[in-house]
Amino acid sequence: MTKRPEPRDRAPRATQPMLSVEEAQKKVLSAFQRLETEPAAILEATGRVLADDIRADVDIPPHANSSMDGYAVQAADTATASQESPASLHIIGDLPAGHVPEQEVEAGTAIRIMTGAPIPPGADAVVKVEDTETEDGFVHIFTPVEPGNYVRPAGEDVRRGALVLRRGTRIRAQEIGMLAALGDTQVPVTRKPRVAILATGDELVPIAESLPPGKIRNTNSYSNAAQVIKHGGEPILLGIAPDTVAELTAKIRAGLKQDVDLFLTSGGVSVGDFDLVKDVLAAEGEMDFWRVRMKPGKPLAFGHIHGVPILGLPGNPVSVMVSFEMFARPALLKMQGAADWERSTVDATLMDEIPHKDERRHFVRVRLEWEEGEYHAYLTGAQGSGILSSMVKANALAIIPEDWNSAPSGARVRVIILD
Ligand code: AMP
Ligand code: MG
């Protein structure tokens, strides 16, 4: 069956606005708000974004305690201790971690104490066991200690009332540890954005199927879904829409019924005859079609359909990932209320030449290595927008600015760290 696209009034290519990456990001980001707060069980909060400030309602540690195994003493008792004339203190008790002191340390006495045990009343220092000898119920101490020696004061780590974790923080293992120390079994986090993902193209088949002649597997839905997961969202795979108005429209409408916060399509936004996505998006919602001054990923559609923000990403497997990185990732982070969405960048020396380039900003797939005291960025192979293997080898994207028409090996470039 041959399909002829219906004739349509498509704006000629050159009239689509050409935006800088920043202009496009700004327009996209302005369409998103932080989503609602929900409680998560502590471990489920790993990798999510904290939705409220967390203040300490206790001191951590809750009581002054010993940082060594040794003897709790009055420092003054050790003031004149020496190898020849040690201080000899009467051992009046034993204090393991987790136990409450029952006795008071008075002048001339000591309590054997374990790491983490509360400092007993009267004591103001700990002498570590290695610096002592014991004999007939006495401990001999050979060097003077200062008050506070090996004592961890109450609240040394966190003072009661202090702001410990800020809203907008991405929760890592150390934040989980802090929440555990505060006894927070439930953590306020922002709801995960739900992201619909629709692949378009007559050439696509589901990945589990064998490949008939002329077909390729639907790669983009999976790379995009993995990006969604990595950045805290929940992907909803809508499968493949063939290049007909009716089927594409039906798939988009079905996807919109699934309560999504962002709708992603791939393919069909360039200028090919069968690129129906633009037409269907325009018919179903309010859409802008842009050329973004970047490579890969020049064509980009953005707008709303039935109130849901929708990003029409390009079809080539690298373009779709880089466009996701530049536009969908910031949107996901903003929806989660993340305090900042910029990737970390470093300056690096470009180790391979880029002989020619156009007036777009090029995001070049590189492997970033720390060598001889600086970062080196090596091209990972052919940079065609369909060459996924060079994305596989890459851990970073080198930014080659718009106004360079080539980049010599040895040039200093800014590099976006992906992993
Ligand atoms: P399009 O913009 O629809 O013309 O797609 C550009 C290129 O990307 C074409 O070579 C498509 O076959 C390819 N492509 C589009 N969608 C996908 C997909 N989901 N998985 C793999 N390749 C795709
Ligand atoms: Mg297509």
Side-chain angles (χ1 to χ4, degrees), residues 199-201 203-204 216-221 240 243 266-272 275 299 313-317:
T200 73
E203 72 278 31
L204 303 178
I216 60 170
R217 292 203 172 92
N218 169 17
T219 307
N220 297 349
S221 291
I240 299 163
D243 290 320
S266 66
V269 289
S270 55
V271 289
D275 289 336
L313 305 177
N316 275 303

Side-chain angles (χ1 to χ4, degrees), residues 322-346:
V322 173
S323 298
F324 183 105
E325 175 64 33
M326 296 300 151
F327 305 108
R329 177 181 174 278
L332 275 175
L333 296 192
K334 186 171 179 192
M335 281 191 275
Q336 289 168 83
D340 77 82
W341 55 268
E342 301 274 11
R343 285 276 202 189
S344 301
T345 59
V346 294

Side-chain angles (χ1 to χ4, degrees), residues 48-120:
R48 313 250 330 241
V49 177
L50 192 61
D52 282 328
D53 286 344
I54 302 286
R55 286 182 183 278
D57 57 359
V58 288
D59 279 337
I60 303 175
H63 45 75
N65 67 97
S66 176
S67 66
M68 282 287 170
D69 291 342
Y71 291 87
V73 301
Q74 294 192 349
D77 277 351
T78 68
T80 61
S82 67
Q83 207 58 40
E84 301 74 45
S85 156
S88 295
L89 307 177
H90 183 210
I91 303 169
I92 58 168
D94 226 352
L95 192 54
H99 291 258
V100 179
E102 283 163 6
Q103 296 143 294
E104 192 164 329
V105 172
E106 292 170 346
T109 69
I111 288 180
R112 205 164 85 90
I113 192 166
M114 299 298 147
T115 304
I119 302 296

